[in-house]
Amino acid sequence: MLSTYTWPRFSSTRPHELDTPGVARRPVIIVGAGPVGLALAIDLALQGHAPLLLDDDNTVSVGSRGVCYAKRTLEILDRLGVGDRVVAKGVTWNIGRTFFGEREVYHFDLLPQLAHAPDHKRPGMVNLQQYYLEEYLLDRAREVGVELRFRNKLTNVESHADGALLTIDTPFGSYTLLADWLVAADGARSPIRRMLGLEIEGKVFTDRFLIADVVMKTPRFLNGPAERWFWFDPPFHRNQSVLLHKQADNVWRIDFQLGWQADPEEEKKPERVIPRIKAMLSHGAAPGEPEPEFDLEWVSVYTFQCRRMNKFRHGRVLFVGDAAHQVSPFGARGANSGIQDTDNLAWKLAAVLDGRAGDALLDSYSDERVVAADENILNSTRSTDFITPKSATSLRLRTAVLQLAQHAPFARRLVNSGRLSVPCHLASSALNTRDTEPFDCTLAPGAPMDDAPLQTSAGAAAWLLDALDARFHLLVFARSALDVDPAALRELSEGMAVHVVTPAPLPNVDLAQLIDHRGVLARRCDARPGTVYLLRPDQHVAARWRKLDTAAVRAAHERALAGASQPAQLAA
C-alpha cells in the first residue's frame, strides 16, 4: 500500500527515575498520546500545570481513524494553538448528501447563515486524517512544555485516596511513579480501566464495516466538491450502505457496510477491497471514461458499540475520550466528544491544583460529560439502527422513509445517516445559576457560547472566542459610559476577565472592550445595555443578568467553582 504521509518515529530516553532512589510524585500524569490525551496535556500546560504524558507507542496513529472535526472542536483547537494548522491542511465542508439507490434523497448545509454573513470563524466540519492532528498537537505540546515519554507502557496501577501508584515498563527497565491525579486517555480498550476492575456498559452492534483510505487519482472525484456523501442500497453495493469523505492529500475515506457474517481478515485483502472501490468509483462514469485509478493507503474492518462507564471519576483517576465512552462513527461523535471532555476537565483540574476549588469540582466533570455521552450515545444508536435495520419490519420502514423523503420534506427529518456532532447544552448542570429574568435566545446557562465577529479598537477583524482564554469571563453590554460601573467591574476583575461589549469604542472607559460593530453578539445574547453574561473557562454560559449585580456575579462565580452536589441532567 502506498501513502502520501511519512510516519514519524519518536525516540525514547532513559527515565531519570531509574537512577533515582525513592518514588517520585507528579501532580498530573496522562496516559495516552492520542488527540484526547494531547489536547488535555496542552490545555493544562497553558494554565500553568504541564503534565507528564506517557504513551506505549512511538509514532502517531496509522490510518485516518478520526476524520471529521466539528465546529466546536475546531474552536477548542484554536484556543490550544493548532486550529489554524488543522483548517489549513484539512478539507472544509458544510454540505452533506444522502442517496437511496440512484437518487439523491436530500442534502443539508451545516452553516446556512454563512450564505448571508461570515458570522462564524470556523466552518461546520473539517476533514483531516488523525495522524496529522496528532502531529500538530505533539508539536504544540513540546512548545508549551509538556513532558512526553514514548514507549513507556503502564503495566500496573493502584488507586489510593491521595493518588495513584503507577508501574511503567520501558526499553531501559521498569520504574514507579506516584500521581496526585491520573488521567486515562488510553482508548476504547483502556488498560487502566481493566487494571482497576471498572466496567463499561452498553450495546455492541452486530455489523461490520470496511474502512478504506484511498489516494484518489480519478479526475471526476478530484475535481468534485468536498461534501459528505452517504448511500443507502447503492447499485454498486446492493443492500448495504456506503459513506464517502474527502480528506487532505487527495486521500478519500470510504466506509462499506459488510454485514455481521463477513470475515474481517478476508475483507481486508486487496483482492476483496479493490473491486469494491472500483465498482463505486465507476458508478456514474461517462461513456468511454478511463478505469478509475487509486492507491490504497490503509484498510481496516471494524464493529462498533455505544457504551460508557457509570462515572468518569474514580477517586484520583479520571477517564476521558474512548476510555470513558464509545459511540459508532456515524455523526463524528468520537474524537469530537473526547476533545470536548478535555475542554470540560482541564479548567476544573487546574482550579483544584491551584487551590481555587475543592476536588468536588471534578465530580461535575463526570456529571456533565456523562450527560454529553448519553446524548451522543442516543443519537449514535438511532443513526446505527436506521443505517443497519435488524428486522424485516425495520427495513420496510426505512425504505418507506427514504422513498417519501425524495418528495416530502417532512420525511427528510426522519432520514438518519448520522446526526452530526454538536456540543452538549448542560442546561441543568449544578454549576449553573438560573435566570431571574426572561431572555429570548438559546444561550441559556449551560449552553456553549456562540462565536461572533468583532473588531479591535483599531478596527481590525477579530472573533469573540479568540478573546476568551481559560479563565472566567464577564461580558458587560453597553452603548455608552453610563451603562458601565468601572469601580464595580474593576473589583470583579480580580477573579475573572471583564470585557465591555459595545458597538463602538467608548472613550474614558478604562476596561477591556470588545467592539460588536455589527451587533451580532448582542443579537445572539438577546442583550441590551446593562446585560451581563458570565462565561466559564470552557466558554459555556454560567449565568446571565439584565443588570450588573456584583454580589450575584460573585455568587455565580463561586457556584461554578464549588462542584456539583447533584448530577447534571439534559434539558427536555
Side-chain angles (χ1 to χ4, degrees):
M1 295 185 186
L2 300 178
S3 175
T4 59
Y5 183 78
T6 301
W7 274 262
R9 295 290 175 184
F10 308 117
S11 61
S12 54
T13 57
R14 182 181 177 86
H16 62 82
E17 289 86 357
L18 288 170
D19 305 309
T20 305
V23 179
R25 191 174 196 111
R26 296 295 189 101
V28 180
I29 297 176
I30 302 170
V31 178
V36 174
L38 286 164
L40 178 62
I42 294 166
D43 209 342
L44 287 170
L46 291 173
Q47 297 180 63
H49 299 283
L52 172 62
L53 180 57
L54 307 176
D55 196 89
D56 60 2
D57 200 1
N58 67 339
T59 188
V60 296
S61 66
V62 176
S64 58
R65 300 186 186 274
V67 171
C68 305
Y69 300 100
K71 177 175 175 290
R72 179 59 194 147
T73 298
L74 296 172
E75 292 163 351
I76 296 169
L77 295 176
D78 276 337
R79 185 169 56 77
L80 300 183
V82 299
D84 285 344
R85 290 187 75 182
V86 169
V87 174
K89 183 65 178 178
V91 174
T92 294
W93 65 276
N94 291 305
I95 302 294
R97 300 187 187 276
T98 299
F99 302 87
F100 180 41
E102 297 274 5
R103 295 186 177 183
E104 181 178 331
V105 174
Y106 80 107
H107 70 271
F108 61 82
D109 188 343
L110 294 174
L111 290 178
Q113 64 268 38
L114 291 186
H116 307 290
D119 292 346
H120 296 265
K121 178 181 178 181
R122 291 309 184 196
M125 285 280 179
V126 166
N127 288 354
L128 185 67
Q129 298 92 309
Q130 184 171 315
Y131 45 76
Y132 276 119
L133 176 59
E134 290 184 15
E135 178 186 328
Y136 301 160
L137 288 169
L138 281 165
D139 289 346
R140 182 62 172 155
R142 294 186 187 96
E143 286 179 6
V144 299
V146 174
E147 183 181 354
L148 298 157
R149 294 187 183 181
F150 297 102
R151 298 181 70 190
N152 276 236
K153 182 178 181 179
L154 182 66
T155 57
N156 190 56
V157 60
E158 297 175 10
S159 180
H160 300 284
D162 63 345
L165 178 65
L166 283 61
T167 303
I168 303 153
D169 188 33
T170 78
F172 309 95
S174 295
Y175 66 102
T176 56
L177 281 175
L178 280 166
D180 291 338
W181 296 97
L182 172 64
V183 182
D186 53 347
R189 295 185 175 90
S190 180
I192 293 176
R193 193 178 64 229
R194 175 178 49 78
M195 291 172 193
L196 295 178
L198 300 172
E199 299 294 330
I200 185 166
E201 298 178 350
K203 182 177 181 180
V204 178
F205 290 87
T206 54
D207 212 327
R208 302 189 197 278
F209 281 77
L210 169 75
I211 303 174
D213 281 353
V214 174
V215 183
M216 194 73 72
K217 299 179 180 178
T218 301
R220 180 161 51 92
F221 283 87
L222 293 178
N223 300 328
E227 299 176 346
R228 177 190 192 262
W229 287 17
F230 192 101
W231 288 269
F232 291 98
D233 192 18
F236 52 84
H237 194 56
R238 280 299 183 195
N239 303 315
Q240 305 286 11
S241 64
V242 179
L243 175 63
L244 176 69
H245 272 290
K246 184 179 181 181
Q247 306 176 101
D249 302 331
N250 289 325
V251 176
W252 292 61
R253 163 78 169 266
I254 310 171
D255 291 50
F256 291 96
Q257 183 183 6
L258 298 176
W260 183 242
Q261 302 305 319
D263 184 322
E265 295 307 314
E266 286 296 315
E267 294 296 343
K268 287 190 290 186
K269 293 179 178 178
E271 58 266 30
R272 298 282 293 174
V273 176
I274 290 173
R276 293 189 190 280
I277 297 172
K278 283 185 175 180
M280 192 201 81
L281 298 183
S282 298
H283 179 67
E289 184 174 314
E291 184 173 298
E293 293 185 63
F294 59 89
D295 294 318
L296 289 178
E297 180 176 274
W298 177 65
V299 174
S300 182
V301 172
Y302 66 89
T303 57
F304 45 84
Q305 47 209 352
C306 291
R307 309 189 298 170
R308 71 164 173 85
M309 299 176 68
N310 183 50
K311 58 182 180 178
F312 301 166
R313 179 190 175 187
H314 291 264
R316 293 298 187 103
V317 184
L318 300 148
F319 291 82
V320 293
D322 285 351
H325 49 77
Q326 295 133 42
V327 293
S328 75
F330 305 117
R333 294 172 179 273
N336 285 293
S337 63
I339 289 173
Q340 289 168 38
D341 285 349
T342 70
D343 189 46
N344 187 294
L345 175 60
W347 72 269
K348 296 174 180 179
L349 188 51
V352 172
L353 292 167
D354 287 336
R356 293 180 287 114
D359 67 9
L361 181 60
L362 297 175
D363 291 331
S364 76
Y365 158 70
S366 178
D367 293 339
E368 291 180 347
R369 294 310 296 170
V370 161
V371 169
D374 284 345
E375 183 179 286
N376 282 321
I377 287 170
L378 176 64
N379 281 287
S380 183
T381 299
R382 287 173 174 171
S383 298
T384 303
D385 286 341
F386 191 86
I387 292 167
T388 63
K390 297 301 185 292
S391 70
T393 301
S394 297
L395 179 59
R396 284 195 296 271
L397 177 61
R398 190 188 76 176
T399 299
V401 166
L402 291 168
Q403 289 171 339
L404 270 173
Q406 297 175 52
H407 313 288
F410 81 89
R412 293 168 192 167
R413 294 193 299 271
L414 303 176
V415 177
N416 193 339
S417 62
R419 299 284 187 253
L420 294 174
S421 173
V422 293
C424 185
H425 288 234
L426 300 167
S428 296
S429 169
L431 305 191
N432 296 342
T433 295
R434 293 183 178 180
D435 287 339
T436 56
E437 295 184 77
F439 282 79
D440 185 20
C441 68
T442 60
L443 293 174
M449 191 64 183
D450 272 346
D451 204 2
L454 304 174
Q455 280 185 348
T456 67
S457 56
W463 294 95
L464 171 65
L465 297 186
D466 285 346
L468 306 179
D469 56 15
R471 293 180 289 172
F472 281 86
H473 290 263
L474 194 70
L475 307 183
V476 181
F477 290 82
R479 285 193 171 273
S480 73
L482 297 176
D483 301 319
V484 180
D485 183 344
L489 293 177
R490 275 194 286 272
E491 183 180 342
L492 289 170
S493 67
E494 295 179 6
M496 64 197 73
V498 175
H499 310 269
V500 176
V501 183
T502 176
L506 295 180
N508 304 317
V509 173
D510 187 22
L511 292 163
Q513 298 185 37
L514 301 176
I515 311 305
D516 186 20
H517 59 299
R518 293 180 36 238
V520 173
L521 180 56
R523 288 194 297 275
R524 289 186 175 157
C525 293
D526 184 31
R528 53 186 183 238
T531 295
V532 178
Y533 271 70
L534 177 64
L535 308 181
R536 301 178 354 173
D538 58 4
Q539 301 172 346
H540 282 249
V541 177
R544 57 185 180 174
W545 304 269
R546 284 301 183 187
K547 62 181 179 180
L548 179 65
D549 180 331
T550 55
V553 172
R554 286 196 196 93
H557 181 239
E558 290 172 5
R559 182 183 183 90
L561 281 171
S565 57
Q566 298 295 326
Q569 299 174 358
L570 277 175

